Amino acid sequence: MNFSKRVLSVQPSATLAINAKAQEMRAEGENVISLAVGEPDFSTPEHIVRAAQKALDQGFTRYTAVPGMPELRKAVAGYFHRTYGVECAISQVMVSNGGKQCLYNLLQALVDPGDEVLIPGPYWVSYPDMVQLAEGTPVIVPTEPEDNFLVKTEDLEKFVTSRTRVIILNTPSNPTGCHYHQKQLEDIAGWAISRNIFVICDEVYDQLVYPPAEMSSLCKFWQQHPHGVAIVNGLSKTFSMTGWRIGYILAHEDLIKALSKIQGQSTSNVCSFAQKGALAGLEGSFEMVKTMRESFARRRDLALDIISSWKGAVCPRPDGAFYLFPRVDAFYNARVDSSTKLCKALLEKEKIALVPGKAFGDDRCVRISYAVRDEVLQDCLQRLGDFLAGLRA
Ligand SMILES: Cc1ncc(COP(=O)(O)O)c(C=O)c1O
């Protein structure tokens, strides 16, 4: 078959691929443990599930408005107001199939063939491929573990050209868990705006920042620069609702109209009864989010305690999400000389699944997700430490 250059230019998602491999091994009877998951290990809160069930019982099963039910858009605006003190109208928010579709729509709306998009690396796996699907050029700006993998304007300056059109920021980050402080974030956004570079800020993990660290966001900054910024968020990570596919966006109303046009010609609205569940989530109690945050903070500490005993690994102490991204290339040997080979050998020998750092643009590292029970995390990391030491022997 003849495929378009567009589809040939993209890779299947590496995180989905490793989880599929782990599932395949499990189906063959192997006892595989996955630290490769990108979703919280909690159930969606009861009141959200009940709201969706009620919507189904009441026959709420038809098309809704493409950018989302007005009452859900109002609840999204309410979330931004309560959380970040931002005044916004429902014409400035929109609901899509996950943060993923928000990002996809945005890049389709903003990027022309040949436009360059700055992406600090390590980055979430889908950004470069989404840029390529928009026929743009992803430009990766590398960062270092010693800087908590946070990009600085001096780094960005080296990669700007006359074709630079967009920058994608992500805080807290997948895969590193590190997050920008409010001033750092606004400094970078200010730098971009002054060069006419549009800022996309992916804040899907905003609720998963562990005290005493504070949440940061470009919402307020958006209010001052509505033409130059869009905020992406969603319910997947906040309420453990990854399968529901609810994401939302805050942007200028002209941009919302453009995104709505794209969504109207592709998927149309998000599943009607999932929107009812989302409404109950945004308008209800956030108590469960607090419980999740506390569990993740505890597991982060537990994991870092073990990792600190791996002589040669470098791992920043992240303040959010549920990932660690240690640099482990000091353990590479003649046979295992890349993150992909390391993860493959680990899966075969120890039956532990991790995602190779290469998928996120840094082949020196591996991504560990701690969205698993404490005992499982502890056991896997101890075995991983022994495995790494064994590579050196
Ligand atoms: C940084 C980041 N952005 C966006 C997404 C998309 O999430 P969803 O489409 O489930 O909202 C993810 C999912 O893993 C992510 O890690």
Side-chain angles (χ1 to χ4, degrees), residues 33 35 41 295 298-299 302-303 306 352 370-383:
I33 299 171
L35 300 187
D41 57 321
S295 300
R298 186 186 63 242
R299 292 176 192 165
L302 188 156
I306 300 174
I352 297 172
Y370 47 90
V372 291
R373 293 201 320 276
D374 297 26
E375 320 78 83
V376 174
L377 182 64
Q378 201 157 13
D379 171 53
C380 285
L381 292 183
Q382 264 146 9
R383 278 158 57 200

Side-chain angles (χ1 to χ4, degrees), residues 38 97-100 103 124 127 170 174 202 204-205 236-237 245:
N97 287 280
K100 208 169 208 174
L103 290 159
W124 181 48
Y127 299 146
N170 173 212
N174 178 3
D202 178 348
V204 298
Y205 296 95
S236 285
K237 319 290 174 174
R245 312 311 301 130

Side-chain angles (χ1 to χ4, degrees), residues 108-236:
Q108 291 293 323
L110 295 171
V111 174
D112 272 326
D115 283 351
E116 293 176 4
V117 177
L118 294 176
I119 305 176
Y123 45 76
W124 181 48
V125 284
S126 296
Y127 299 146
D129 291 295
M130 284 187 187
V131 170
Q132 277 174 213
L133 284 171
E135 298 184 44
T137 306
V139 176
I140 310 303
V141 183
T143 64
E144 291 299 321
E146 290 73 16
D147 298 324
N148 289 346
F149 293 113
L150 300 177
V151 81
K152 298 193 279 294
T153 51
E154 305 91 272
D155 307 326
L156 293 165
E157 199 70 67
K158 295 181 201 138
F159 291 84
V160 173
T161 73
S162 57
R163 299 302 312 258
T164 309
R165 176 99 170 85
V166 175
I167 179 169
I168 307 179
L169 298 172
N170 173 212
T171 185
S173 151
N174 178 3
T176 70
C178 298
H179 93 298
Y180 291 92
H181 296 293
Q182 189 62 30
K183 180 162 184 326
Q184 288 173 313
L185 196 58
E186 290 189 8
D187 283 352
I188 296 171
W191 170 90
I193 295 284
S194 70
R195 281 157 187 76
N196 217 9
I197 298 171
F198 190 93
V199 183
I200 297 176
C201 197
D202 178 348
E203 303 182 1
V204 298
Y205 296 95
D206 72 332
Q207 285 289 334
L208 299 180
V209 173
Y210 321 137
E214 286 174 7
M215 292 160 79
S216 57
S217 167
L218 282 186
C219 282
K220 277 269 187 196
F221 187 89
W222 167 82
Q223 201 146 44
Q224 291 146 25
H225 304 275
H227 287 92
V229 182
I231 313 291
V232 173
N233 205 327
L235 268 58
S236 285

Side-chain angles (χ1 to χ4, degrees), residues 5 10 57 104 143 183 205 210 255-257 259 312 332:
K5 289 198 189 72
V10 300
D57 289 341
Y104 183 86
T143 64
K183 180 162 184 326
Y205 296 95
Y210 321 137
L255 181 51
I256 295 291
K257 280 188 197 140
L259 301 173
Y332 292 172

